[in-house]
Amino acid sequence: MRIRLDPWPVDTHDGQLTLKPFAGLVFNAETEAWSAIAPREIPARLSKVLVVDGKPRMEARLLLDDENGGLSLAGFGAFVAGAVDLCPHGSRQAELLEVAAQRVLAYSNEGGATVEMTRLSPRNPHTGRLEYTPHVFSGSQLEGAKSKVQRLMLDAEAELSHRLASALPLDEHDPNALPDTLVLQDGPVRIGGAGRAVLGYVKTLHTDYLGADRIGLLGTLKPGERTPVLRFRVGDQGGGQDSEGREQRFTWYVRLCDPPFYQHPLAGVMRLEMHAPEDSDFVPRGVLDIANLSGRLLCRLASAPHKDARAPQNLIPTAALEQAMGRAMGSAELVTRRIRSHLARELGKEAVA
């Protein structure tokens, strides 16, 4: 038995590797030959690549009580969805886009309360006003507010990706199918976002879509090489027709770098994902073009261990975007103090009245 290291630090939410078997069916989409495919150069037609990511944050847990004595859970939260605009050929500087915080008052619909926007006016005019827009969530779970903020962030990410990406023809033979603008979205592509040039990059290998007979290829890939494109259905649990899943996806794996000998052999591998047309037995030309250039592009964007603990999968633009999103939301400590000060003043007014 040989012991290998998972490269991600133990204080991250999850490790880089879990490999829980996928319960559904996975089909060959590009070729029946299961072997490495070499990377190709990035065509001049692709002039813009945007990296989209989001960041949620809970800022306070709340308990709401109405005039009738009813109690319900709530929470103050914030999220950001933004993008980095970069040239894949290195002819211009990268630029941050739409990195602005949105604040949320998430509350349960169990108590039937009517909640209005909460405005936290600053004591110092230079610190700005915090405005929390009400959003209701179902049920009365303790984590309901956190889940609502996360859901709003994911929806904002999906909307931004769809808006920024070029349309993607689903024709098999169109020679001009490669878009001029490609969006790299952190995580899997979202339900309902087909028809756009959005490439989801999944940094962790928590689900095994390959099985024992195919996963060995990942450890032999050279930097930039990829696997053939596969097809599966989201949420497929195997078995009956009711468990087939909702939408089809294309997926393939790319190696970003060679891992050190003491790390597990999948340490430098990333899984990629795009929407697939329903009931098709071919890979659209645009998807295939993106798959062919993905290894070269992602190797250029991959982070290094001395700069990022989640290297190489946490891409350099993603790390820069995470820092910008953190700044947009402001200091969590200062925001918490603002919330406490605001509630103390409001409750003090009620006590005086």
Side-chain angles (χ1 to χ4, degrees):
M1 175 182 290
R2 289 185 295 178
I3 298 177
R4 301 288 185 89
L5 184 68
D6 186 311
W8 284 21
V10 293
D11 58 353
T12 55
H13 180 66
D14 291 301
Q16 192 262 333
L17 189 68
T18 303
L19 293 180
K20 178 182 178 181
F22 180 60
L25 299 175
V26 180
F27 303 93
N28 294 328
E30 181 180 2
T31 176
E32 296 296 324
W34 186 246
S35 58
I37 298 175
R40 299 185 185 178
E41 293 298 328
I42 303 172
R45 178 180 175 86
L46 182 65
S47 59
K48 182 183 292 188
V49 172
L50 298 116
V51 180
V52 170
D53 194 10
K55 188 179 184 73
R57 186 175 76 188
M58 286 306 298
E59 297 180 335
R61 291 190 179 95
L62 307 171
L63 185 68
L64 306 181
D65 59 88
D66 59 29
E67 293 80 2
N68 300 319
L71 301 176
S72 59
L73 297 174
F76 283 139
F79 69 90
V80 184
V84 179
D85 178 356
L86 55 90
C87 175
H89 310 288
S91 61
R92 57 180 173 82
Q93 288 187 330
E95 179 185 1
L96 290 168
L97 298 179
E98 303 195 27
V99 183
Q102 300 184 55
R103 289 192 146 77
V104 176
L105 170 51
Y107 67 100
S108 170
N109 61 1
E110 291 291 295
T114 301
V115 178
E116 299 179 349
M117 177 181 289
T118 301
R119 294 180 173 87
L120 277 60
S121 299
R123 289 183 175 180
N124 186 328
H126 300 292
T127 57
R129 172 180 290 183
L130 303 182
E131 296 185 345
Y132 291 87
T133 303
H135 289 271
V136 67
F137 63 86
S138 299
S140 57
Q141 301 88 351
L142 180 62
E143 295 299 307
K146 181 178 180 180
S147 297
K148 184 63 178 182
V149 175
Q150 175 78 9
R151 182 72 261 164
L152 290 169
M153 182 214 71
L154 292 175
D155 290 346
E157 261 188 36
E159 187 278 329
L160 183 61
S161 295
H162 193 271
R163 175 161 50 86
L164 295 177
S166 294
L168 185 69
L170 298 180
D171 186 87
E172 187 176 5
H173 305 292
D174 185 354
N176 297 316
L178 180 67
D180 59 7
T181 301
L182 172 66
V183 167
L184 304 180
Q185 180 179 283
D186 191 356
V189 291
R190 313 298 184 216
I191 296 290
R196 312 297 291 183
V198 178
L199 175 63
Y201 62 98
V202 183
K203 295 179 286 194
T204 56
L205 300 180
H206 287 175
T207 303
D208 176 12
Y209 293 91
L210 303 181
D213 58 334
R214 289 189 168 190
I215 199 168
L217 176 61
L218 301 186
T220 67
L221 293 175
K222 297 181 177 63
E225 289 185 340
R226 67 173 177 90
T227 67
V229 178
L230 304 171
R231 178 170 51 85
F232 70 95
R233 193 175 280 275
V234 177
D236 188 352
Q237 299 299 314
Q241 185 173 0
D242 293 340
S243 64
E244 283 187 352
R246 292 172 285 179
E247 290 185 356
Q248 293 195 56
R249 297 283 188 273
F250 291 124
T251 190
W252 64 96
Y253 294 79
V254 168
R255 176 168 289 285
L256 305 182
C257 69
D258 284 323
F261 69 91
Y262 54 84
Q263 294 179 358
H264 65 73
L266 308 187
V269 175
M270 174 184 283
R271 186 175 72 85
L272 305 175
E273 187 176 295
M274 293 190 75
H275 287 281
E278 293 295 316
D279 302 322
S280 64
D281 57 359
F282 66 92
V283 182
R285 177 67 180 271
V287 173
L288 195 57
D289 288 342
I290 291 171
N292 285 333
L293 66 84
S294 61
R296 191 78 69 190
L297 174 63
L298 291 168
C299 282
R300 292 181 183 178
L301 301 181
S303 53
H306 68 281
K307 293 184 177 180
D308 195 310
R310 291 176 291 166
Q313 288 89 349
N314 202 44
L315 304 179
I316 294 172
T318 306
L321 186 54
E322 287 175 344
Q323 294 177 1
M325 291 188 294
R327 292 193 297 269
M329 287 191 288
S331 165
E333 180 181 357
L334 292 178
V335 170
T336 300
R337 287 164 57 184
R338 290 274 301 277
I339 292 172
R340 290 175 177 172
S341 176
H342 171 81
L343 294 179
R345 290 198 304 271
E346 294 299 311
L347 292 173
K349 293 176 184 177
E350 293 181 10
V352 171

